[in-house]
Amino acid sequence: MEKKSESGSGGGQVVDGSNIMELVGNEEVFSNFVEHKFEELDRDRDGHLSLNELHPAVADIGLALGLPAQGSSRDSDHIYSEVLNEFTHGKQQKVSKTEFKEVLSDILIGMAAGFKRDPIVILRIDGEDLLEYIDGPIFEPELVATYSEIKSADGTLRDCIIKALEKLTVDQGMPPSLDSWIVSNIVEPALQSCTGHDLDKPVSQDTFIAEFKKVAEFVAHRLQEQPVIVAHSENDFDGSDIKRLLSNKFELDKTLNAAIETVPKDRSGKLSKEYLRVALEAVAPTAGLPPLGAVEQMDKVVQDVFNMFNADDGKQLKEDEFKKTLTEILGSIMLQLEGNPISVHSNAVVHEPLTAASTLLQPTPDL
């Protein structure tokens, strides 16, 4: 039930969370939505959801969050357990309709906030863009440059082709070539099409260009037969969101006050500087920053700024001093990003059909 609007010439679909907020924000519509889903899950019709009855809902929420199926990863299974605990509070065996509604609302609002902060573009890669790129005027010059960059004394034709495929982007019509499904179903069959040359011997530039073009054309035709869905996201951290926050005193004070609530105080009401990271994490969504640990380049910027402020020295600060220091840290991060913006792009192959990924979050027929 996510909004998927056209995103221009690429024909992509933007997932931005707006439809989720429209649903949760309309009390009547959301109540009807919950009523329908609750009845759908309440198989024994006792007015409560047992743990077994909740499992389909938890599984569908996981799919909507982009997690692999339960049982396939210890890390993702931990998240599934956390979602279940949100409903049961870690101890209940039954969940009422009111509790189900409250938790589902919180989860959906969190998902919408995430999509709003980091929209995802759903792309259908069908070989057409790749063929257009291959037939275009820049294909061969860019391939010459690529060969110069990736060649080595003992580099084989196979190595060069694989490395060159990795450099192709979704803009050029290539799905992520390191994805295991893409490797097995597209890259390996394409390499097997190089029947005229030994893939495991060193290769000249001319041979590389000729053979790579054959492989790329094979990939394009394979994608025409079996299009691939890719979830594409890109984030630019340039300090503009921090600048907007710092320029709005009302919003800044509100954000800092909320962050302070997440930090423990000693008996005199002072706060330790070691909790500045916790406070920054609370401020991050409003300041347009990723969670700590999510983007390596951003973590380095934050660490450099924290070092500048001796943020880990454990010194106790009064509340106003703590807020002032946090504000100065935000300002320093802003200046760093204005001077050296950080761009992060990611692509993931979507192996589930978009329309069937999550039934829990599909609109009901009467809504």
Side-chain angles (χ1 to χ4, degrees):
M1 60 167 295
E2 242 323 324
K3 180 177 182 179
K4 303 183 181 74
S5 56
E6 291 303 315
S7 66
S9 59
Q13 299 174 311
V14 179
V15 179
D16 63 4
S18 57
N19 271 13
I20 289 179
M21 290 307 298
E22 288 176 12
L23 170 68
V24 179
N26 188 316
E27 177 61 29
E28 182 180 353
V29 172
F30 186 59
S31 294
N32 290 338
F33 174 82
V34 170
E35 183 79 25
H36 178 88
K37 296 303 177 185
F38 191 89
E39 290 181 4
E40 201 174 81
L41 295 166
D42 185 18
R43 293 192 296 269
D44 62 8
R45 298 291 183 263
D46 68 348
H48 290 79
L49 298 181
S50 66
L51 295 182
N52 284 337
E53 288 171 335
L54 276 170
H55 278 132
V58 172
D60 278 336
I61 289 171
L63 287 174
L65 290 170
L67 298 176
Q70 281 181 280
S72 59
S73 161
R74 287 181 62 184
D75 291 336
S76 59
D77 283 354
H78 173 71
I79 298 175
Y80 280 112
S81 295
E82 289 298 312
V83 172
L84 183 61
N85 284 338
E86 284 295 313
F87 284 108
T88 65
H89 306 295
K91 53 186 178 181
Q92 292 174 235
Q93 296 298 309
K94 293 274 189 176
V95 175
S96 69
K97 188 184 298 181
T98 299
E99 291 169 326
F100 179 74
K101 180 180 179 181
E102 289 174 355
V103 175
L104 186 58
S105 173
D106 289 343
I107 290 174
L108 292 179
I109 289 172
M111 288 173 58
F115 284 131
K116 182 179 180 181
R117 185 173 64 250
D118 303 318
I120 296 172
V121 180
I122 304 299
L123 302 170
R124 183 177 186 270
I125 299 182
D126 59 7
E128 297 300 325
D129 288 342
L130 184 55
L131 282 176
E132 185 177 330
Y133 172 65
I134 294 168
D135 294 335
I138 64 171
F139 175 73
E140 191 162 325
E142 288 190 350
L143 209 51
V144 171
T146 296
Y147 178 77
S148 299
E149 184 180 337
I150 65 177
K151 69 177 180 179
S152 62
D154 56 351
T156 65
L157 176 58
R158 180 191 300 275
D159 292 337
C160 289
I161 289 176
I162 290 174
K163 289 176 182 177
L165 286 174
E166 289 175 17
K167 290 186 172 295
L168 293 181
T169 67
V170 292
D171 291 333
Q172 294 158 328
M174 181 69 195
S177 63
L178 294 178
D179 177 88
S180 59
W181 189 92
I182 299 296
V183 170
S184 300
N185 293 275
I186 294 180
V187 174
E188 285 299 334
L191 287 171
Q192 291 169 13
S193 70
C194 296
T195 54
H197 292 271
D198 189 335
L199 287 170
D200 297 314
K201 287 187 176 181
V203 62
S204 67
Q205 176 179 290
D206 289 344
T207 300
F208 164 72
I209 291 174
E211 293 304 311
F212 183 80
K213 185 173 184 179
K214 292 178 186 175
V215 168
E217 287 174 340
F218 183 99
V219 169
H221 293 308
R222 192 84 168 192
L223 289 169
Q224 286 179 321
E225 297 169 2
Q226 193 168 11
V228 172
I229 305 298
V230 172
H232 171 74
S233 67
E234 51 185 83
N235 297 291
D236 296 316
F237 303 105
D238 58 6
S240 59
D241 286 331
I242 300 178
K243 189 171 187 177
R244 176 192 54 74
L245 176 62
L246 295 179
S247 66
N248 186 328
K249 187 176 184 307
F250 175 79
E251 186 175 359
L252 177 62
D253 288 342
K254 179 182 174 183
T255 302
L256 292 177
N257 288 334
I260 290 293
E261 293 299 317
T262 67
V263 178
K265 300 176 183 178
D266 65 13
R267 291 180 180 179
S268 63
K270 291 185 176 181
L271 307 95
S272 172
K273 287 173 70 176
E274 67 184 21
Y275 289 110
L276 281 166
R277 292 180 188 277
V278 175
L280 181 63
E281 187 80 356
V283 170
T286 308
L289 297 173
L292 293 174
V295 178
E296 185 178 347
Q297 303 99 305
M298 274 299 312
D299 289 345
K300 186 178 186 309
V301 169
V302 170
Q303 185 59 53
D304 289 345
V305 171
F306 270 54
N307 291 341
M308 209 164 38
F309 283 87
N310 296 316
D312 297 316
D313 63 11
K315 184 179 177 183
Q316 299 293 114
L317 300 176
K318 294 179 180 178
E319 185 173 309
D320 59 342
E321 292 174 330
F322 190 92
K323 289 181 181 178
K324 182 174 181 291
T325 302
L326 183 56
T327 302
E328 291 172 349
I329 286 174
L330 285 169
S332 295
I333 294 174
M334 177 191 75
L335 292 175
Q336 293 275 356
L337 294 176
E338 285 181 339
N340 297 286
I342 293 172
S343 295
V344 180
H345 296 210
S346 66
N347 298 289
V349 175
V350 179
H351 297 287
E352 293 285 341
L354 288 179
T355 55
S358 172
T359 57
L360 176 73
L361 300 179
Q362 295 296 319
T364 55
D366 55 339
L367 297 183

